[in-house]
Amino acid sequence: MARYESVPAHEDEDIREIVHCVLTLQDRFATAEHHPLERGTHAKGICVRATFEVFDLHDTLDDDELAGRLARGPYARPGVYPAVIRFANAEAKVQKDRASDVRAMSFTVMLPSGPDGSEQTRVDYTMNNAPTFPINTAHDFAVLMRLLTAQGLGNRLRALFGLSRAEFVALLKTAVRGMKQKRPGKTAYQGMRYWSNVPFSHGDDEVVKYSAIPVRGNPAAPLNGGPHELRDELLRHLVDDSRMSRFDFTVQLLDTDRMTYRGKHHDAEFWIENASALWDERQAPFHTVGRLTLLPASQLSAAECEASYIDVTEHRMETTRPLGSI
């Protein structure tokens, strides 16, 4: 997959700046609100147990060639495996669930990786309820964080006027895309659809994105209007409902011959390196490879949830590497 990626000379510098700025904001938020450090993003979340079922794709799909392309890595061995899901708001600060924000569903699962199924590998997934990432590249991310950490009007103006024209335009586009994706929390976590935003390798010759699609009829009551209404509704569901919510887990194969952006075809590098470019599913459909099912009364304690983390770079199979600048 390295042949599809383009690594800018300044990428390591951008990453260092992003890390420094995120740590700075974490410390600043904790000091201002008089509480311990929160996560850099997705600060407010709830963790539940689930199962991740991998389907026998040669049975569930009519196209045997397509089934062979999909049945790789995590999806090569049918079975039902334990998972832990963390639903969260995207903000780095804890705020009311009704506030406009992006919502996330991340999960971790142990999947068989050896030829005989005896070996297991932890595989992590993280998805948002928007199909693209508002920040296009790591450099755009670093520029945004530089502005967010600048304190005082004078420092912010200096940071702003220090940008090149291209950086300023990219910043404006990031802001517009981010505002469009944020929405009030009016839908229960179990009723939302989630996307991976960024691509991953799928073996040596395929690139994919993921989406978790709620099954029609997932039980959900009206939100109660309280500050923790998304969490409250998920907990009510786990305790009160006899049928647990399910998500079809789907894979989208990169198809450069069919996919277009603004009416034009692009090579694989474009689709991998531009996190804000939509992979139109009318041109490259999602295919169901498995199913996530919540388990009743399975909420993790607050301490267990805080101790858990998702890292798609560290916890993956050899053939499922995250790709691209973001």
Side-chain angles (χ1 to χ4, degrees):
M1 287 301 106
R3 67 182 183 276
Y4 293 137
E5 292 187 282
S6 174
V7 182
H10 52 70
E11 186 168 85
D12 287 343
E13 181 182 345
D14 288 333
I15 292 171
R16 285 193 293 271
E17 183 170 15
I18 293 166
V19 171
H20 170 74
C21 291
V22 170
L23 293 174
T24 298
L25 289 179
Q26 283 180 284
D27 183 66
R28 195 174 293 168
F29 292 154
T31 300
E33 298 178 13
H34 308 289
H35 59 59
L37 289 174
E38 303 283 3
R39 296 169 191 252
T41 60
H42 301 179
K44 183 181 182 181
I46 177 173
C47 299
V48 302
R49 299 192 185 280
T51 59
F52 184 60
E53 180 181 6
V54 176
F55 295 156
D56 186 336
L57 299 179
H58 291 282
D59 282 345
T60 59
L61 297 176
D62 294 331
D63 186 334
D64 206 52
E65 180 183 357
L66 175 62
R69 292 175 67 190
L70 293 169
R72 300 177 174 184
Y75 324 111
R77 193 177 299 276
V80 179
Y81 309 101
V84 174
I85 303 175
R86 186 175 190 268
F87 294 96
N89 301 329
E91 274 289 340
K93 296 186 290 185
V94 174
Q95 59 186 11
K96 293 180 180 180
D97 285 350
R98 183 54 64 94
S100 293
D101 201 354
V102 174
R103 318 295 162 175
M105 181 178 78
S106 305
F107 71 95
T108 183
V109 59
M110 296 297 295
L111 291 169
S113 55
D116 61 355
S118 60
E119 298 177 32
Q120 286 192 316
T121 298
R122 174 177 166 178
V123 181
D124 285 358
Y125 298 86
T126 182
M127 293 173 280
N128 291 333
N129 69 332
T132 61
F133 199 63
I135 309 170
N136 200 43
T137 67
H139 187 67
D140 295 346
F141 203 161
V143 168
L144 174 64
M145 296 307 298
R146 191 184 311 157
L147 266 292
L148 291 177
T149 52
Q151 287 189 295
L153 179 60
N155 287 330
R156 289 191 176 179
L157 287 175
R158 277 189 287 273
L160 191 61
F161 285 114
L163 302 180
S164 68
R165 183 179 184 278
E167 289 173 332
F168 182 74
V169 171
L171 180 68
L172 288 180
K173 290 181 178 180
T174 296
V176 171
R177 288 190 292 256
M179 287 188 291
K180 286 182 178 179
Q181 289 187 2
K182 288 187 173 184
R183 54 184 66 92
K186 295 182 179 180
T187 303
Y189 281 133
Q190 65 267 28
M192 300 181 197
R193 180 177 177 180
Y194 304 89
W195 290 262
S196 66
N197 290 173
V198 298
F200 293 78
S201 64
H202 184 66
D204 295 328
D205 59 345
E206 298 271 17
V207 180
V208 299
K209 285 187 176 182
Y210 310 125
S211 181
I213 304 173
V215 171
R216 185 186 299 273
N218 275 354
L223 300 179
N224 61 26
H228 313 298
E229 58 185 348
L230 291 174
R231 183 186 67 185
D232 293 345
E233 166 49 23
L234 183 61
L235 290 177
R236 183 214 60 78
H237 168 54
L238 296 175
V239 174
D240 293 347
D241 291 331
S242 58
R243 180 166 58 87
M244 290 293 100
S245 290
R246 299 170 294 164
F247 294 84
D248 285 337
F249 188 80
T250 64
V251 171
Q252 182 184 35
L253 293 160
L254 175 64
D255 188 342
T256 56
D257 291 333
R258 296 185 61 193
M259 290 165 54
T260 60
Y261 181 73
R262 296 181 178 174
K264 296 182 179 180
H265 291 276
H266 298 272
D267 61 14
E269 182 181 312
F270 170 86
W271 296 108
I272 289 170
E273 296 297 342
N274 292 281
S276 65
L278 177 68
W279 292 23
D280 191 336
E281 60 186 285
R282 295 169 298 181
Q283 300 169 346
F286 284 89
H287 306 282
T288 302
V289 299
R291 179 165 288 172
L292 269 171
T293 303
L294 307 188
L295 294 178
S298 64
Q299 179 201 5
L300 273 65
S301 69
E304 289 175 309
C305 192
E306 281 305 304
S308 69
Y309 71 99
I310 301 293
D311 188 329
V312 298
T313 301
E314 177 183 353
H315 297 131
R316 61 179 176 85
M317 291 184 178
E318 286 297 320
T319 55
T320 59
R321 186 167 62 88
L323 300 173
S325 179
I326 291 295

